[in-house]
Amino acid sequence: MASFSDVLATANAIADLESASSILSWDQETYMPSGGAPWRAEQLATLSTIAHRLRTSREFKELLDELSIEARNGAASLEPWQAAIVRETSKDVERSLKLPEEHVGELARETARGHETWKEARRQSNFSVFAPSLGRLVKLKREEADYLGYDADPYDALIDLYEPGMTMTVLRPVLERLRAGTFELLDRVRAAATAIDDSPLYQRYDGDKQLAFARQIIDALGYDFGRGRVDLAAHPFCTTFAVDDVRLTTRILENDLRSCLFGLIHEAGHGMYEQGIDPRLARTLAGSGVSMGIHESQSLFWENMIGRSYPFWTWAYPQLQSTFPETLANVGLDQFYRAINVVKPSLIRIEADDLTYNLHISIRMEIENALINGVLDVPDVPARWNALYEEYLGIAPSNDAEGCLQDIHWSFAGFGYFPSYTIGKLYAAMFYEDARRAIPDLEEQISRGRFNELLAWLRSSIHFHGKGVPAAELVNQVSGRGLTEEPFLAHNRRKIDLLYT
Ligand code: ZN
């Protein structure tokens, strides 16, 4: 007779191996000398091989199957959090078993190679250097979709890796309405007489002071430094070693005030999510954010819904001014607020504003979907990319580096990941409406730098559940509806009405 504690022992061991891998990866991005790279690759491969062996062992599968039947029958012996661990672990094991070992190995080799050819292609700004790798990666991911299974669209199987349960059938109509609404708002911006001067953001700002200020802000928001830390890295990210050790990285640009500050608020949003998960789920596959879309909703909630809001800067701006008196003394709160909310079509996704960002995602999704469905050939990617930028944003890249080579995602075969960003934005705006309903004086609290009631609401509504409640169900619990573009468009419409007249 299988017992929960038998399952938990192996589940803990798998989670520990993954945490150890995370530590190695974090170190690689922060402190490791470049000479360590090939050794680190071997160390990571060894850990993932051991984890894969544990996942796919016969005994573990039998234990899980037995307990899964109990969990599905609602056996009284399993508490809901225990049933969640069994369910999430089973799902993970089943997925591992569906993928043949040769496929996993080949994909690992191709992504390692793909990453190198992508870097080189980007350096030369020449897509054809990356194209053969991309072709092999597309083929492998198409095969993976077949191994994993899908109903209508092979791309659904890949979205499901990041946003379990989400399909193009659900997503497509939402994104079409979002795009139409975005075009309408962009027309208003273009027609407006107002030109916003955002040059104050691009003066020289001392790096140490930027970091100290950003740390002070995320501390006030509720990121727990007793159970986390911040280091510098080329690409900002959040990584979890344990529920009580959730780390962030950021980068500093001395001539761009946005990068360190908004980057760190964003990562702290991810971090606060991970720090708030039910500790009983810790050291298992259920003890992390439920989906990439929900994860992004938490980072974007803090970065955009709070961090780019007027109430927030009513509180924070005097502190920022006193940190940089020589640059900001003559820049008023209103001017600063306008500057951080500029809407301007641009070529680079990570520099895009809140509104036009989704168009960058739409373009990537359309191309990925066409590649995975075999209706677009790899050599035609740059032309399709440029045509879509012209059509959606009214601008076209002049070379591949600022076009289809700008993102790392395809080099690690992350097809299906991009939708999470837009899903996260839409959820963030939905949750903000819910938070305002739950906390009637929310904006008043924010304008006084009080975030504890808001964080407590996010904790109990979202964070605490970890993977205990599936993403779509969680959204329904919190918002009483499924994914919708309306709150996001309404939020941006209000801003544009205010800023562009
Ligand atoms: Zn993020």
Side-chain angles (χ1 to χ4, degrees), residues 266-267 270 292 295-296 299-300 417 421:
H266 179 100
E267 298 310 329
H270 285 303
M292 286 314 298
H295 232 304
E296 278 303 306
S299 53
L300 294 165
Y417 189 105
Y421 295 115

Side-chain angles (χ1 to χ4, degrees), residues 85-102:
I85 291 173
V86 172
R87 185 190 66 230
E88 288 304 317
T89 313
S90 295
K91 245 167 60 182
D92 179 79
V93 162
E94 261 154 43
R95 179 181 294 153
S96 301
L97 289 170
K98 280 181 186 167
L99 298 177
E101 229 168 272
E102 317 82 78

Side-chain angles (χ1 to χ4, degrees), residues 318-459:
Q319 304 169 57
L320 185 67
Q321 270 183 315
S322 65
T323 308
F324 300 107
E326 62 290 348
T327 344
L328 292 175
N330 297 319
V331 178
L333 168 60
D334 284 18
Q335 192 190 347
F336 181 78
Y337 173 71
R338 284 167 181 279
I340 58 171
N341 284 292
V342 159
V343 177
K344 192 162 48 184
S346 61
L347 291 172
I348 306 295
R349 174 183 62 86
I350 60 165
E351 292 168 4
D353 58 77
D354 192 28
L355 181 68
T356 59
Y357 190 97
N358 296 312
L359 298 175
H360 294 257
I361 297 305
S362 265
I363 292 169
R364 288 153 177 78
M365 270 184 68
E366 281 184 43
I367 291 176
E368 288 189 348
N369 189 271
L371 285 171
I372 296 297
N373 276 283
V375 295
L376 174 68
D377 293 329
V378 165
D380 298 332
V381 166
R384 174 69 65 89
W385 180 285
N386 297 353
L388 284 169
Y389 265 80
E390 188 65 65
E391 184 186 341
Y392 290 177
L393 288 143
I395 44 179
S398 56
N399 59 61
D400 293 342
E402 62 177 26
C404 62
L405 290 174
Q406 66 181 268
D407 295 308
I408 194 173
H409 302 59
W410 292 344
S411 82
F412 65 78
F415 307 102
Y417 189 105
F418 281 121
S420 326
Y421 295 115
T422 286
I423 293 169
K425 274 186 189 287
L426 303 190
Y427 282 156
M430 289 168 69
F431 293 152
Y432 189 73
E433 284 192 355
D434 302 325
R436 279 185 66 172
R437 257 194 303 277
I439 309 169
D441 66 338
L442 176 64
E443 295 187 346
E444 215 266 318
Q445 292 189 19
I446 294 169
S447 68
R448 286 187 286 122
R450 287 185 43 211
F451 306 99
N452 49 346
E453 197 179 339
L454 174 59
L455 181 58
W457 181 82
L458 289 169
R459 285 261 194 274

